[in-house]
Amino acid sequence: MPSFRATVLLLLSFFSVITAQNTDPPTEATVPTINTGDTAWILCSTALVMLMTPGLSLFYGGMVSRANVINTLMLSVVTMGVITVEWVLFGYSLAFAPGTPGMGDFRWGGLKDVKAYEPNTDYAPTIPHLLFSMYQLMFAIVTPAIISGAVVGRMKFVTWIIFVFIWHIVVYDLIAHLVWGIWTETKIVNGIEESVIRYGWLKERGAIDFAGGTVVHISSGVSGLVAAILVGKRSKGSKEDIAFRAWNIPFTVLGACLLWFGWFGFNAGSALGANGLAAVAFANTTIAAGSGFLTWILIDGIIYRKATAIGASSGAVVGLVAITPAAGFVVPGFAILFGLVSVAFAYLAVRIKKKISLDDSLDAFSCHGVGGIVGAFMTGLFATKEVNEYGANGAFYGNPKLLGEQVLAIVIAAIISGGLTALILLSLKFIPFLGLRVLKVEEEVGLDEKYHGERVNVSVRNVELEDMGETGKVKSLD
């Protein structure tokens, strides 16, 4: 089979070319300084952020019915495979390589010239460039996983995988470059060689995003909202209709705790070094999470006279989302305000969603979209160069221009993510033999058996107390 042999040889040649540059360490004289402490911290941070995707899958998986637990988990963790391949082939290059203010080029495709023994001084001057790319990969993985919370229990698994792959190229990679892109170009001016620093368009205008409030949470939250609308509501009588009962609340609480833990790598790791800025981001992260946690409990208590575990867990996540764009730009005292204000708006969004019967199943938009928007806006108010000299002063410190740039970044990110998500989903919907939704009968039975051939078994039968105080009767949910 000569054609098969030719194909194999071509693939081997391709991978030998794109991986050859990392095999031989350069001589000591040519290596820019790599700080071992910074490198160790970002290695740990990379692992922490990687843990967030399984944590998110548990957070979501505990809130669905037992018939859709495996499918919900898989919608999240499948991104660990899909996005890893996309990122290595060309995603990292499109997001971070030099190019235009709108998108990077393909020079780092297959991680070509992404050195294991040298830093990229534009992004992280004290850690290996390869490590920086892997750290950013973990952000890239968790972002589309967030969207899955809007469509659980009713979207085809194969369609979801295709959607994630396309969405990441045209939405995530684009917004990441607009917000974070930076590179140095060499130009000849009057016969003299000069270095010129170039930026992604939003970064060049002055918008700031420390760890992904715009890139990760606004993009995924708005995309989730659009997906929920286009995929449609869960069918009445299905395992996942609007009045569904969470099958395992401890799963959700554990998932929220893992997210909180992983978020230290997400935010403090974005300092890209073991330094004082990392300490500020670390403190802001846990303060905002604690504030959000307590705020949701207080609102639940005022309205329902109860403190729900799912609500408290959601509050912590919203606080974490809101502080993400500001973690390395604001003094820690303001982190309390980020948690409080973001949860107030997220709680309101959840109430509005229920009023209009919008089936954003697990509140991807209410938590991540709204939290990200509030956080990006408040960054424009409270950012200060006293915390980070490479940041900017916000309106509270005499620079209202930053607030305007933050609002512009919010609007641009929302338009890009919402518009392109709609385009992708509508295109997939009308592809023969593909489509977006499962059959109604499959939705009513649950998707675990349909797509994964597995189901959750529990040793103790789930029961619901029915007027226990008066009758003592127990109704089985199995």
Side-chain angles (χ1 to χ4, degrees), residues 178-195:
L178 291 173
V179 175
W180 287 334
I182 179 173
W183 65 97
T184 302
E185 287 185 353
T186 301
K187 291 188 175 183
I188 305 298
V189 181
N190 297 325
I192 301 174
E193 189 176 277
E194 293 184 358
S195 294

Side-chain angles (χ1 to χ4, degrees), residues 48-85:
L48 285 170
V49 181
M50 180 269 186
L51 184 65
M52 291 175 67
T53 300
L56 180 71
S57 73
L58 291 174
F59 181 71
Y60 282 166
M63 289 191 282
V64 300
S65 75
R66 200 174 66 180
N68 286 319
V69 176
I70 304 300
N71 182 252
T72 301
L73 295 175
M74 286 294 291
L75 290 177
S76 291
V77 299
V78 75
T79 63
M80 298 173 74
V82 175
I83 303 307
T84 297
V85 172

Side-chain angles (χ1 to χ4, degrees), residues 131-196:
L131 175 57
F132 176 78
S133 72
M134 292 297 99
Y135 179 62
Q136 291 298 331
L137 167 61
M138 302 310 158
F139 286 69
I141 287 172
V142 75
T143 304
I146 294 169
I147 303 172
S148 70
V151 295
V152 295
R154 59 198 189 277
M155 188 167 180
K156 291 183 175 181
F157 189 64
V158 172
T159 304
W160 169 252
I161 291 175
I162 297 171
F163 165 76
V164 164
F165 189 83
I166 299 172
W167 182 91
H168 210 274
I169 297 169
V170 301
V171 176
Y172 183 88
D173 296 342
L174 170 59
I175 295 177
H177 189 80
L178 291 173
V179 175
W180 287 334
I182 179 173
W183 65 97
T184 302
E185 287 185 353
T186 301
K187 291 188 175 183
I188 305 298
V189 181
N190 297 325
I192 301 174
E193 189 176 277
E194 293 184 358
S195 294
V196 179

Side-chain angles (χ1 to χ4, degrees), residues 163 226 230 417-427:
F163 165 76
V226 172
L230 293 181
S417 54
L420 292 177
T421 296
L423 181 61
I424 297 167
L425 288 175
L426 288 173
S427 299

Side-chain angles (χ1 to χ4, degrees), residues 138-380:
M138 302 310 158
F139 286 69
I141 287 172
V142 75
T143 304
I146 294 169
I147 303 172
S148 70
V151 295
V152 295
R154 59 198 189 277
M155 188 167 180
K156 291 183 175 181
F157 189 64
V158 172
T159 304
W160 169 252
I161 291 175
I162 297 171
F163 165 76
V164 164
F165 189 83
I166 299 172
W167 182 91
H168 210 274
I169 297 169
V170 301
V171 176
Y172 183 88
D173 296 342
L174 170 59
I175 295 177
H177 189 80
L178 291 173
V179 175
W180 287 334
I182 179 173
W183 65 97
T184 302
E185 287 185 353
T186 301
K187 291 188 175 183
I188 305 298
V189 181
N190 297 325
I192 301 174
E193 189 176 277
E194 293 184 358
S195 294
V196 179
I197 299 177
R198 300 286 305 279
Y199 302 95
W201 182 63
L202 290 173
K203 186 177 181 68
E204 188 170 29
R205 290 188 57 89
I208 57 177
D209 182 4
F210 188 73
T214 301
V215 176
V216 174
H217 298 291
I218 294 178
S219 69
S220 61
V222 172
S223 295
L225 174 63
V226 172
I229 294 170
L230 293 181
V231 175
K233 298 179 185 179
R234 287 163 286 186
S235 300
K236 290 295 181 183
S238 75
K239 297 291 186 181
E240 298 295 340
D241 66 18
I242 291 178
F244 77 93
R245 182 177 296 273
W247 91 281
N248 195 324
I249 293 174
F251 256 38
T252 296
V253 175
L254 175 60
C257 292
L258 289 173
L259 285 170
W260 192 332
F261 181 66
W263 228 291
F264 291 123
F266 203 82
N267 287 353
S270 291
L272 298 172
N275 50 39
L277 184 59
V280 172
F282 193 103
N284 280 330
T285 298
T286 203
I287 292 169
S291 173
F293 185 93
L294 183 59
T295 300
W296 201 295
I297 287 177
L298 290 175
I299 297 175
D300 261 353
I302 292 170
I303 296 177
Y304 299 113
R305 303 288 187 232
K306 299 181 188 299
T308 64
I310 288 180
S313 300
S314 299
V317 171
V318 173
L320 290 163
V321 169
I323 199 61
T324 294
F329 297 128
V330 302
V331 296
F334 282 127
I336 294 176
L337 196 59
F338 274 75
L340 192 156
V341 175
S342 62
V343 166
F345 277 97
Y347 202 102
L348 178 62
V350 171
R351 303 267 291 185
I352 293 173
K353 179 199 79 167
K354 292 178 180 178
K355 290 276 188 186
I356 64 176
S357 297
L358 172 65
D359 197 7
D360 174 9
S361 314
L362 305 179
D363 297 316
F365 175 73
S366 300
C367 290
H368 294 271
V370 172
I373 290 169
V374 171
F377 183 88
M378 292 182 69
T379 302

